[in-house]
Amino acid sequence: QSPEAWWDSVPVTRDHKQALEERLSLSSMLARSQGDLPPRSMKDSSHEVHLPLGSQPHIREKYLTHHNTVRYPHRLLISYSHTHNPALPRSPLSIVTALVDKIDMRQHTIYPDRDIKFTGHVTWVGKTSIEAKMYMSQLHEGAYSPVLEATFVMVARDPENKRAAYVNPLKPEGAEEERLFQQGEVNKTRRVELSTASLLKVAPTAEERKVVHSQFLSTLDPQTVSFRSRVLPPKSVWMEDAKVKGLEICHPQERNIFNRIFGGFLMRKAYELGWANACSYGGCRPNLVAVDDILFQKPVEIGSLLLLSSQVCYTEGNFIQVRVHTEVAGPSDGGSTTPPTCSTSPSCRTTTVPMIVPQSYGESMLYLDGKRHFSQAAGI
């Protein structure tokens, strides 16, 4: 019996396939245009969830690391509330994560014995896409203080997850909601501009070319004055020596309703590998400053081998910019695809970390891309 035939015979898999077949009947409930859907307010999608680490100590073990700090739980999904139609028994939409635009840390210390609160709501809507914000705060001296703010972009698909589907328009109410909506428009424009200016598409700017050439000159051997003879500057590390790789087998327990691997699992694995690389590189336990540009390019099948590669690509002071790239080897072939990429900005509590130095042109492009992400995370 082939592995595929054996997998199809598993009862859990049969139940999952039956659920997917039942969703096909929901296609007739999809809106033919956005104008057919009633507008929603931000309050319609507003949610609040509590994690009682302080008041219920017995649940702490599920959320604590070996350093007695808090692991970040799965993100709060609120897009289905925005598109909810009480007249329908089930939603015909399949809402999936397109990208994590940014995660900003407001506080580095998350205490293991204090309650945590998650709030969130939709902040911007296109025709088939939704931007949502999630806020995390922790109880301190009787009041909740902000810990992090995250921005997600979700896309609506048909029940088979094969084509785009319309979502309800968003109608801001009041000055604050209008500000959030306009910020969503700015975020969309920024994402388009960043994609257009990607170093995978266009050459570096004149200023960036000067940075690359200056780095090249700093690595030349003054004894030989040769283009091929390179010397590592003091207190520096070659980029080639700042990699950490990992491998994960994608088991059924990590699947979503479409019988694919859950995006939150992929995000967590990418984040943990990037953090481990920063820890090894800086020689300390780093604090996370920001995560941005987690881009989901293709779904990951159950049984796939998830190949993760993290690279320190930029350093400045005590900040370390890490890029995590993932590839997938299919369960039945030797080919590979590219699911999410992730960019994180940890910092060490020490004064400085070694300077990262590229050697090849490709590494120089990684360095410049990391520099761009760092500037964005730092608000420059």
Side-chain angles (χ1 to χ4, degrees), residues 33-344:
S33 70
Q34 193 177 40
D36 295 338
L37 298 170
R40 300 278 193 244
S41 68
M42 294 187 186
K43 294 179 182 178
D44 291 330
S45 61
S46 181
H47 276 273
E48 182 174 306
V49 176
H50 290 259
L51 186 61
L53 297 180
S55 54
Q56 298 182 25
H58 63 277
I59 71 168
R60 293 176 188 169
E61 187 173 343
K62 293 174 59 178
Y63 300 98
L64 298 186
T65 69
H66 64 287
H67 291 288
N68 203 36
T69 56
V70 179
R71 294 175 61 187
Y72 305 115
H74 296 309
R75 62 193 182 281
L76 177 67
L77 298 179
I78 55 180
S79 301
Y80 278 106
S81 298
H82 176 80
T83 60
H84 176 64
N85 184 348
L88 299 178
R90 295 174 62 187
S91 173
L93 297 177
S94 301
I95 299 179
V96 297
T97 306
L99 65 91
V100 179
D101 192 43
K102 197 171 186 182
I103 300 177
D104 282 325
M105 298 298 301
R106 307 301 187 191
Q107 180 177 315
H108 295 307
T109 303
I110 304 178
Y111 298 96
D113 56 352
R114 298 178 186 175
D115 288 1
I116 291 176
K117 179 174 68 174
F118 297 92
T119 58
H121 58 84
V122 170
T123 54
W124 176 87
V125 167
K127 289 185 177 181
T128 62
S129 58
I130 295 173
E131 180 189 275
K133 282 191 179 291
M134 187 270 288
Y135 307 91
M136 175 180 172
S137 55
Q138 189 164 42
L139 190 64
H140 180 65
E141 295 182 352
Y144 281 95
S145 302
V147 174
L148 68 80
E149 175 183 327
T151 304
F152 302 93
V153 178
M154 322 295 291
V155 292
R157 312 283 290 176
D158 69 354
E160 295 182 83
N161 194 21
K162 290 184 177 180
R163 60 184 179 87
Y166 293 106
V167 296
N168 301 68
L170 181 64
K171 184 178 180 180
E173 298 177 352
E176 177 60 18
E177 290 191 3
E178 184 63 36
R179 183 191 68 80
L180 289 173
F181 186 84
Q182 292 302 321
Q183 183 60 49
E185 291 283 357
V186 171
N187 292 342
K188 176 187 176 182
T189 302
R190 172 180 53 80
R191 288 191 290 267
V192 172
E193 291 176 348
L194 288 175
S195 177
T196 303
S198 169
L199 292 169
L200 293 173
K201 299 178 180 179
V202 298
T205 65
E207 187 63 32
E208 288 175 333
R209 291 195 294 270
K210 290 181 181 179
V211 170
V212 171
H213 191 66
S214 176
Q215 283 188 326
F216 171 72
L217 294 178
S218 70
T219 63
L220 290 180
D221 187 350
Q223 303 297 325
T224 61
V225 195
S226 169
F227 286 106
R228 294 186 177 183
S229 183
R230 309 286 291 276
V231 176
L232 184 66
K235 299 181 180 180
S236 302
V237 175
W238 292 121
M239 188 176 287
E240 175 65 26
D241 299 326
K243 296 179 180 179
V244 174
K245 298 184 179 183
L247 170 68
E248 292 288 337
I249 301 175
C250 298
H251 295 292
Q253 68 190 49
E254 305 296 348
R255 68 182 171 186
N256 57 23
I257 62 173
F258 308 112
N259 214 30
R260 305 280 178 71
I261 296 300
F262 176 51
F265 170 78
L266 303 175
M267 287 172 51
R268 178 164 62 87
K269 291 302 178 181
Y271 160 73
E272 289 177 349
L273 187 69
W275 185 92
N277 195 352
C279 182
S280 174
Y281 185 88
C284 67
R285 181 180 179 276
N287 294 318
L288 180 67
V289 177
V291 179
D292 67 337
D293 261 11
I294 302 181
L295 178 62
F296 293 89
Q297 297 179 335
K298 292 183 179 180
V300 178
E301 303 291 343
I302 294 173
S304 298
L305 298 179
L306 185 67
L307 313 173
L308 302 101
S309 178
S310 66
Q311 171 73 72
V312 175
C313 54
Y314 181 77
T315 57
E316 183 172 322
N318 64 332
F319 290 92
I320 307 169
Q321 184 74 29
V322 183
R323 183 179 187 271
V324 181
H325 176 77
T326 59
E327 292 185 357
V328 166
S332 59
D333 59 68
S336 64
T337 58
T338 304
T341 57
C342 169
S343 181
T344 66

